[in-house]
Amino acid sequence: MTELRRPERPRTALERTAGVKLASASLPRALGVAVLLLIVAAAVGVSVGPTSLSLATVWNGIAEHVPLMPHGHVNSVDAAIMWQIRAPRVVLAAIVGAMLAGGGATYQGVFRNPLADPYLLGVAAGGGLGATVVIVSGGSSELLPISAFVGATAAVALTYALGNTARWDTGPGAAGVGNTSIILAGVAVAALFTAVQTYLMQQHLTTIQTVYGWILGQLTLASWTDVGTVAPYAAVAATLLVVLASRIDVLRVGEEEASTLGVDPNRLRLMLVATATLGTAAAVAVSGLIGFVGIIVPHAVRLTTSSSYRILLPVSMVAGAAFLILADAAARTVQAPSEIPLGVVTAIVGAPFFLFVLRSKRARTALS
């Protein structure tokens, strides 16, 4: 007797997209590897520098602050280096790296553009203009991160407002604020803000070195105050991005399909862009402009784990934190006692990665 079987239901476009590589990667395993890498990076970041600290010293320094944990003695000089200089710099690098990588991954998913980075909508230009205004006006250093944050968020708000007035997406399923409209508006806003920044720099030539030092990115003066300033914004942004991560897969299948699944593409896109911008602007405010992190880290995670944003986004944030800690460690040790701008180090790593992507068929397939 032949057994009758119910025919399998064809998978939807969403299921086909979200299922990419899930057989080869799971969130706990991928996240576990990323966390292990972060721990190693943090140990390296705290221990290396002009004055090296042994791993035993680092361990004892941590154990001193944990009740009932046995530990050895750490002299006052090593303790000061560890907790007042190295630790806040490592924590700040981790936060900034996580926000840039998470912002880049989000923008790539929202705009379905593998070359999108967290500065796509004018965050860099707005933050740079805000910082330049404070520097050329002789304002206090405490005002610089506030001005950079305001400039970055203002630039993205202007970009979205301009993008909302145009309709460049005319293909099937295009509705509301189109991806192309927003991206073109971002290009225009970035050009405008950069032009104003350049004008201010030309009018105040004595401040050019300071402005360029900020533009190239640095964590030299990182402190626990900076960590406390950026941490609340980063915590809110990271939480929301992780919660919304699985919905980015919905946007990847097209607006018509997303609408049939009960998702408002325009509202979801706005929520994601606003959240990613919040984290990126907070990072820029305390670190300056550090490029490539938001591009190379999400792509590297795609190549090694999954293209589903349920996995990609949280793993990218942890991996971004580890990457920037290691990049900062290299920036302060390669030419010690002087430092290389952090943005230069990330660019040196990022350029060869792009060449790999361009020449590798496997990489292009993963990013498509």
Side-chain angles (χ1 to χ4, degrees):
M1 182 175 181
T2 304
E3 181 181 356
L4 297 178
R5 292 187 298 177
R6 180 180 300 175
E8 294 184 1
R9 176 181 61 86
R11 293 193 302 167
T12 65
L14 172 63
E15 292 170 332
R16 292 194 301 270
T17 301
V20 176
K21 293 188 182 178
L22 289 182
S24 60
S26 63
L27 179 58
R29 183 175 63 184
L31 196 58
V33 173
V35 169
L36 180 60
L37 177 62
L38 177 58
I39 293 172
V40 172
V44 172
V46 173
S47 61
V48 304
T51 300
S52 298
L53 300 178
S54 67
L55 291 179
T57 299
V58 173
W59 173 262
N60 290 329
I62 296 174
E64 282 185 346
H65 294 78
V66 179
L68 304 180
M69 180 175 289
H71 58 81
H73 175 69
V74 179
N75 64 62
S76 59
V77 174
D78 287 345
I81 292 174
M82 178 177 174
W83 290 109
Q84 300 304 318
I85 299 176
R86 302 272 176 82
R89 186 162 179 168
V90 166
V91 173
L92 192 62
I95 294 175
V96 171
M99 290 299 95
L100 293 179
T106 301
Y107 277 20
Q108 289 159 22
V110 167
F111 297 109
R112 287 179 282 177
N113 184 345
L115 298 181
D117 74 350
Y119 302 146
L120 178 69
L121 303 186
V123 172
L129 178 58
T132 301
V133 169
V134 171
I135 293 172
V136 301
S137 63
S140 65
S141 58
E142 288 79 8
L143 292 176
L144 196 151
I146 298 174
S147 183
F149 179 83
V150 171
T153 52
V156 176
L158 180 58
T159 293
Y160 221 89
L162 291 175
N164 195 25
T165 64
R167 296 291 185 271
W168 283 81
D169 292 301
T170 58
V177 182
N179 290 344
T180 306
S181 303
I182 298 175
I183 293 173
L184 290 176
V187 172
V189 169
L192 173 62
F193 278 47
T194 301
V196 176
Q197 180 187 14
T198 303
Y199 173 78
L200 291 176
M201 291 168 61
Q202 288 181 338
Q203 298 301 309
H204 302 80
L205 296 178
T206 57
T207 64
I208 287 181
Q209 185 174 358
T210 304
V211 173
Y212 273 113
W214 187 89
I215 290 174
L216 290 174
Q218 57 183 339
L219 297 173
T220 306
L221 302 178
S223 66
W224 289 116
T225 300
D226 294 326
V227 173
T229 298
V230 72
Y233 300 98
V236 171
T239 301
L240 290 177
L241 288 179
V242 171
V243 170
L244 296 172
S246 60
R247 298 192 181 185
I248 301 179
D249 289 318
V250 179
L251 292 178
R252 294 172 62 197
V253 302
E255 298 201 356
E256 282 189 356
E257 183 81 12
S259 299
T260 61
L261 294 170
V263 174
D264 184 338
N266 294 325
R267 181 180 300 177
L268 177 58
R269 184 187 293 113
L270 177 60
M271 291 175 58
L272 289 167
V273 168
T275 303
T277 298
L278 174 68
T280 301
V284 166
V286 296
S287 69
L289 307 182
I290 301 173
F292 286 96
V293 179
I295 296 180
I296 64 176
V297 173
H299 287 347
V301 173
R302 272 192 196 90
L303 292 171
T304 55
T305 57
S306 171
S307 60
S308 171
Y309 278 82
R310 183 179 63 85
I311 297 175
L312 174 65
L313 194 51
V315 175
S316 290
M317 286 193 287
V318 177
F323 171 76
L324 201 61
I325 291 172
L326 294 175
D328 183 57
R332 68 173 184 261
T333 56
V334 170
Q335 290 186 347
S338 62
E339 291 193 16
I340 302 174
L342 184 52
V344 173
V345 176
T346 57
I348 290 174
V349 176
F353 183 87
F354 265 119
L355 292 177
F356 163 74
V357 171
L358 291 174
R359 295 181 61 86
S360 171
K361 182 178 180 181
R362 174 174 175 266
R364 292 195 300 271
T365 301
L367 301 182
S368 60

